[in-house]
Every structure is written in structure tokens, then in C-alpha cells.
Amino acid sequence: MFNNKAFYRKLDGLLGNLSETKRPHHTLARVVYQIVESFREDLGTISGRLYQREADSYYLRHSTTTLGQDLEGFSISADYPPVQAILEERTVAIHEDFPGYSVELEQRLDSRNYAAFALSDGRFLISFALGNEAEEDALLFALGVIRHSLSLHLRQASIEAEIDEAEAIQLSLLPRHPPAFEGFDIAARTRAAEAAEVGGDIHDFLHLGEDALGI
């Protein structure tokens, strides 16, 4: 039986322990593993896979189960009907009677029944193979919440990365050392307003001659 309170506690703990990397798929790979382990009993998740879009295909970047050599570099076309459904509906349960379902393709992945969702405008797809005991309504609700939470997390991480980059650019525009100018001790400091790492102001020193300094 699906327990809402227990689910939210587990999800909060999972997201709270996420550590950022410069490669989102590394963070998501850990998330996939943790979701499978944390919600195996609640949601019936058996295994998980992470796909990343490159051009018109989704490449398998991570699996919680060992992959055979035949799956190295494995990709699925973005035109595959279940993939299209995931991109359009965001969170979907896929079964053998799903329109356009390829038995041959899914047998290679050993995932006859699974649920999946899309992240970051379709950049990533995450799927979970399901056991027979999975409660589909509760599963889709839970994965929808997980998808929304991860999307917010990735967006926040992206914003923070952009701020860090802007901060580095701004600092690179500032003089490394104050100039030596006879008769004066010169120092400078810049600090962004309030809690922001990036401000709108910079300073510079211009040598205009032996007895003139522009600031």
C-alpha cells in the first residue's frame, strides 16, 4: 500500500543528499539508483535507466543493472512511439499493448513493463522496470512528483552554474593589483550587493602619465 507521508519523507531525504557535479547525468545516475532502492517496496521499481538525448536519439547513459556488451552505445530513436508519448505526457506507464511497442527492442533491454518520465525539456529520459505488484495509479503519481522535484533541482543547479560563470567573468575584468602611484596608498574592494555573487559595477585604473592616474 502506497504511503504518501513515507514517500515524501524519503523523497525529501533523497533530494536533500544530492551533491552537484558539472555533469548533470552523473547526478541523475545516482538519483536513478537511489529511487530504485528507496521505492522498490512502495512503487514496485525493479531497475532504472537513464537516457540522454543527442541529435535524434536517446543514448543509454546509465543502468542500475549490469549491461551486456550488446548494449554498449545503445540508443533509441526519438521517433519511437513510447518515447514520443513520454515527451508529450511527461510521465507514462508502458506495457506490451502500448501503441508502437517493439517487443524486439524491449526484450533487448529486459523491460517488458516500465514507467518513464522526461526531464529538462526532453534532454533526459528516466525509466523504471516494474514488478507485477506495482500499483500503476500510485506509481504515476509518485513519479510525477519526483519528475517535478528533479526538474526544479536541475533548474536551480543550472541557475547557480550561470551565476558562478558570471562571477568568474566579472572578477576577470577587475585589476589583479592596485597600481603604485607616488604619494598615495591605493586599495580597492568590490562586493556584490546583499547575498548575490554578481554585481553590476567594476573598477579599473588607467595610467595617464607619470603624475596622473585615472580611476
Side-chain angles (χ1 to χ4, degrees):
M1 181 66 68
F2 183 74
N3 185 311
N4 280 342
K5 290 184 178 179
F7 166 75
Y8 282 113
R9 282 197 299 269
K10 288 182 180 180
L11 180 60
D12 185 59
L14 186 155
L15 296 177
N17 290 327
L18 282 184
S19 57
E20 294 303 331
T21 68
K22 293 183 179 180
R23 299 182 177 181
H25 71 268
H26 287 176
T27 298
L28 291 175
R30 291 196 298 272
V31 169
V32 171
Y33 173 80
Q34 291 170 348
I35 289 174
V36 171
E37 293 302 307
S38 298
F39 302 112
R40 187 185 301 271
E41 294 183 3
D42 302 289
L43 304 178
T45 52
I46 298 174
S47 62
R49 293 186 175 90
L50 171 66
Y51 298 86
Q52 184 171 0
R53 184 160 188 164
E54 295 179 17
D56 295 326
S57 297
Y58 281 93
Y59 285 81
L60 181 57
R61 298 302 301 267
H62 174 75
S63 173
T64 60
T65 56
T66 303
L67 298 175
Q69 291 184 348
D70 63 322
L71 290 178
E72 292 183 4
F74 178 82
S75 67
I76 301 175
S77 170
D79 293 330
Y80 182 46
V83 170
Q84 286 294 304
I86 296 166
L87 294 175
E88 292 173 4
E89 301 179 34
R90 295 300 181 184
T91 306
V92 183
I94 308 293
H95 304 288
E96 293 181 75
D97 59 353
F98 196 90
Y101 181 100
S102 169
V103 174
E104 180 182 0
L105 185 153
E106 302 296 351
Q107 283 180 341
R108 288 188 64 191
L109 293 167
D110 192 26
S111 57
R112 291 165 53 190
N113 299 318
Y114 59 96
F117 57 79
L119 286 173
S120 299
D121 295 326
R123 183 182 175 193
F124 297 101
L125 297 184
I126 296 178
S127 69
F128 299 96
L130 305 174
N132 295 328
E133 71 280 5
E135 299 179 24
E136 189 166 303
D137 289 342
L139 172 72
L140 292 178
F141 167 78
L143 291 185
V145 173
I146 292 172
R147 178 188 66 78
H148 180 69
S149 299
L150 283 178
S151 294
L152 292 177
H153 183 84
L154 290 177
R155 178 172 175 79
Q156 179 64 28
S158 176
I159 292 172
E160 291 175 357
E162 290 178 0
I163 290 175
D164 289 343
E165 183 178 0
E167 179 186 18
I169 292 172
Q170 182 180 28
L171 291 176
S172 73
L173 298 174
L174 298 173
R176 293 184 178 275
H177 306 287
F181 192 69
E182 187 176 356
F184 292 88
D185 291 325
I186 300 174
R189 180 185 183 189
T190 181
R191 184 177 66 180
E194 299 179 357
E197 289 87 353
V198 181
D201 300 322
I202 61 172
H203 65 267
D204 201 1
F205 303 101
L206 306 175
H207 291 276
L208 303 178
E210 292 184 3
D211 58 353
L213 177 69
I215 300 176

